[in-house]
Amino acid sequence: MTPRHPLLPGRAGAPTATAAACALLLVSAAAASPVPVAASPVPAAGGEGADVPQGTAVYRPVARFTTAGKPRDLLLHPDSRHLYVGSEDLPGTAGTDEGGLHVLDPADGKVRSTVDRAPGPTGTLGRRAVRRLVAPLPGDGAVFVYPLRGIGTAKDGDAAAAGAWVPGGAVTDAAPGTTPATVLVAQGSVLSEVDIATAAVRRSVTLEGGEEFAHDPARGTVWFTDVAHRRMYRVDTATFTVAATVELPAGEGFGGFTEVDPETGAVWVGLDTSVVVHDAAGRRLDVIKGTDMPRAAEFDAATDQAFVVWQDTGDTSEPGSDNNGSLTVHRTGDLREAAPRVELPGNHAQSGEAALAVAPGGATVFVSDPAAGAITRLERATSPRITLNPLDVSAAAGTAVSLTTRAEGTPALDVAWQVSTDAGRTWRTVPGATSPTHTFTAAASDDSHRYRAEFTNGAGTARTTAATLTVTPAGGGPGGGTPGGGESGPGATGGAGTTGAVTGGSGTTGSADGGTAAGTVGGTTGGAAGGTGAGTGPTAAGGALASTGAAAAPFAGAAVLLTAAGWILVRRSRRRGAV
C-alpha cells in the first residue's frame, strides 16, 4: 500500500535563469578589426530549432540519500521544509536500529534528528518503526502510524514520540481526518475516525471489503478501494455511510494506491500495471497504462500535475522485468505526460513499496527506494526558451554593432554567438562572444553575414533565428557617393554606383548607366538623394549632362521635364495664394 500525503500548498520559488535585456543597438565607435571567427564549424541545422522543444521540462536525479534506514514513507513539511522519513531497519544491519522517524535536511540528506521511541499498547516507550506518515503538524512535526495500531506525533528534536493505540485490528491505511484533531484509519475493511491524542474511535463504518482509501475533504468524501472485488465505495463523511459504489476494471487483483486530486476531486487508483482515473462523481475518465506497477502518487496544485512512481516487480523471471522503476509526470487536465519518463534504476517492489514527496511547485521531487535503503532527490530542469531573437541590422563600416537576444530556462543558461558566411548553410562559433549582447565593429567584409545565439543548459539547447548584417561603405549611403551641390549647381563626382544621379553608380564609361547625371539633375536632386554618380569616364560639370552619344538624351529630356514641372507647380501655388 502506498503512503498518503496531504497536498503541500504554495509555490516553488526556484528562480528562472533569464538572459539580459533585449534590444538591437547601433552605436558609433572607432574603426577596429573585426572579431575573428573560430575555425571549428557547428551544426547548421535548426537555425531557430533545438535538440529538444524549447521550454521542455525534464527531471534529473541530483542526489541520493542513504541516511534514513529503509524508507517507507516521505513527507516534506510545508512550513519547516524538513523532509520527514518513516523508516524500518535495513536487512543485514542487525547491530544498528535504523527504524523510526528521521528528520532530514532536504538539500543534502543530513539527519537533523531521529525519533525512534513511541508508546506501546500499554503506554511503555519502546523502539518503533514508522510505516505511514499521515499529516504535517502546524509549524513542524508529523502525525504518523507505527506498528501495529499506534498513532504518534513528533517533531524535529523530540526525544520520544507521543502516541496511543487504536482498539481493534492492525491499521492498514491512514489519512487526515475531518478535523485537525482526528485522523481516518482503515483496519482492513473497517473505516474509523479517531482522536490523534487518545486514539479513541469517534465513529466507524464497515465496508464489504478493502483496506486502503483516500480522503477528499473539499467534497466530504472518502474513496475506499476494494481491489479483491474490483470496486470503490464512496463514503459520505458527514453521515459516515456508503453513498455509491463504483466498478473498477477487471484485472489480476493487485492494488497499488488510491489518491484524490484535491483541485478536481478526481480519484486515481493504481491497479496492476495501470492507473485508473475517475472524476469526482465516480465516472471513469481514462486509464494510464504502463509496464511496471504504480505504487505512489501525489498532486501539485501550482502546476496542475500528478506525479506517479512505478516499481518493477523485481522478479527477473517475469517477461519485461528489468529491475528498474520510473517516475512519470502527468497533466491532471488531460492525463498526458508533462515531462519525459525518468528511469529509477533498481527500484523494485521486492523489499517494499516506494513513496513520494513533491515540493510545492513541483521543482523538487523525492522518491524512496526501500530495496536500496535510499532516497533519490530529483530536480526539474527546463530547456532554453528563446524570448527575443536578434534583428537584422544595417551599419556603416567602422561603426559598432550590438546584437542582443534573451532566453529563459533552468538551470542557468550558457550562451554562445555563431556566425555564418554562406547564407546559413554552415555556422562557426565567435570566440569570446558569450554574453546575451554581442558587440563588434562592422567591417566591409562582414556584409551579408548572419548571426545567431545558441543557449544551452542541462535540459537542452535552443538557437535564435538568424540576424543579417548589411555593411555600407564608410561616410555615405549604399552607393558611397558624396552629396550633390545646391539647388542648381554642378553635380558632384559620384563613387561606385549603378543608378546614376540619385544613388551613385558603378559606371565605367562616364555615360548614363555609370553615374553621368550632373548639372540640372545632379544639382537639383543631389542634396536630397545623397549624391551624384560618376564612373571612370569624364566628370560631369557646368550643369550639363556628361555623356557621349545618344545615351544622355533621355536623361537630358527628363531633366527638362522635371524643371518645367517644378515651374508649373510654383506658378500654380502663387495663383492660389493670390486668391
Side-chain angles (χ1 to χ4, degrees):
M1 290 166 296
T2 299
R4 306 290 175 259
H5 307 299
L7 182 72
L8 300 181
R11 292 181 177 272
T16 300
T18 304
C22 59
L24 180 61
L25 307 174
L26 180 62
V27 295
S28 301
S33 301
V35 177
V37 176
S40 58
V42 296
E48 66 263 340
D51 56 349
V52 297
Q54 294 188 25
T56 298
V58 299
Y59 282 85
R60 305 175 304 159
V62 296
R64 190 169 174 84
F65 308 152
T66 57
T67 51
K70 179 181 176 180
R72 295 298 304 269
D73 200 1
L74 305 175
L75 185 151
L76 187 62
H77 199 282
D79 300 325
S80 68
R81 303 296 181 181
H82 295 156
L83 179 63
Y84 279 80
V85 185
S87 296
E88 295 177 331
D89 288 342
L90 279 169
T93 58
T96 304
D97 190 344
E98 299 160 314
L101 182 69
H102 299 277
V103 186
L104 306 186
D105 184 332
D108 55 18
K110 290 183 179 178
V111 179
R112 296 177 54 89
S113 64
T114 297
V115 182
D116 58 4
R117 295 190 303 156
T122 63
T124 303
L125 288 176
R127 292 188 177 276
R128 314 290 180 187
V130 174
R131 294 181 179 175
R132 182 86 73 246
L133 297 173
V134 181
L137 292 173
D140 189 31
V143 182
F144 57 91
V145 174
Y146 58 96
L148 293 172
R149 297 176 281 119
I151 302 295
T153 59
K155 63 180 183 300
D156 182 25
D158 284 350
W165 280 57
V166 182
V171 174
T172 55
D173 202 0
T178 62
T179 73
T182 63
V183 295
L184 295 169
V185 298
Q187 294 167 284
S189 61
V190 179
L191 174 67
S192 302
E193 184 166 25
V194 303
D195 286 325
I196 293 175
T198 65
V201 176
R202 291 191 178 185
R203 51 186 179 164
S204 64
V205 59
T206 300
L207 291 309
E208 294 181 24
E211 57 182 15
E212 64 180 38
F213 66 95
H215 182 203
D216 182 6
R219 296 159 190 84
T221 299
V222 166
W223 291 98
F224 204 97
T225 305
D226 182 356
V227 176
H229 295 97
R230 310 300 284 193
R231 66 183 61 167
M232 289 189 299
Y233 309 106
R234 189 176 72 192
V235 178
D236 183 346
T237 57
T239 62
F240 236 59
T241 58
V242 176
T245 300
V246 176
E247 297 299 322
L248 294 172
E252 299 175 1
F254 188 84
F257 63 81
T258 304
E259 296 287 358
V260 170
D261 178 358
E263 293 295 305
T264 65
V267 56
W268 293 46
V269 181
L271 289 174
D272 305 318
T273 58
S274 300
V275 177
V276 183
V277 183
H278 296 77
D279 68 11
R283 291 184 293 268
R284 189 179 305 169
L285 297 175
D286 207 344
V287 177
I288 301 171
K289 296 182 179 181
T291 56
D292 291 328
M293 299 180 296
R295 288 308 213 176
E298 190 167 344
F299 302 91
D300 178 61
T303 58
D304 292 324
Q305 292 178 346
F307 297 77
V308 180
V309 174
W310 308 70
Q311 281 183 299
D312 189 77
T313 63
D315 183 355
T316 55
S317 65
E318 292 186 6
S321 177
D322 60 3
N323 216 40
N324 299 326
S326 64
L327 171 71
T328 58
V329 185
H330 306 266
R331 297 193 296 262
T332 55
D334 58 14
L335 309 186
R336 295 188 178 183
E337 290 192 357
R341 181 182 296 258
V342 182
E343 185 175 88
L344 302 173
N347 200 323
H348 59 77
Q350 290 295 308
S351 297
E353 299 175 0
L356 175 68
V358 179
T364 306
V365 179
F366 300 89
V367 180
S368 70
D369 183 350
I375 301 167
T376 300
R377 174 188 169 113
L378 300 100
E379 291 183 355
R380 182 177 60 209
T382 306
S383 65
R385 185 177 70 87
I386 306 299
T387 58
L388 181 75
N389 288 292
L391 303 177
D392 294 344
V393 64
S394 179
T399 59
V401 173
S402 288
L403 301 170
T404 301
T405 182
R406 184 172 63 217
E408 60 186 16
T410 53
L413 306 178
D414 293 323
V415 60
W417 284 88
Q418 300 168 354
V419 64
S420 174
T421 60
D422 54 8
R425 288 186 292 274
T426 61
W427 294 84
R428 296 177 184 274
T429 301
V430 179
T434 57
S435 169
T437 297
H438 174 39
T439 301
F440 60 98
T441 301
S445 58
D446 296 329
D447 185 47
S448 299
H449 287 184
R450 297 183 182 182
Y451 296 85
R452 73 183 184 187
E454 181 179 83
F455 291 92
T456 59
N457 65 4
T461 299
R463 304 181 186 98
T464 67
T465 56
T468 300
L469 173 63
T470 300
V471 181
T472 60
T482 56
E487 190 169 305
S488 61
T493 300
T498 59
T499 59
V502 177
T503 61
S506 57
T508 57
T509 63
S511 60
D513 63 344
T516 61
T520 302
V521 176
T524 302
T525 65
T532 61
T536 57
T539 301
L545 289 173
S547 176
T548 58
F555 287 90
V560 172
L561 290 174
L562 289 171
T563 303
W567 180 82
I568 291 171
L569 290 172
V570 171
R571 183 169 183 177
R572 287 180 176 175
S573 176
R574 288 176 179 174
R575 286 179 178 178
R576 292 191 185 100
V579 177

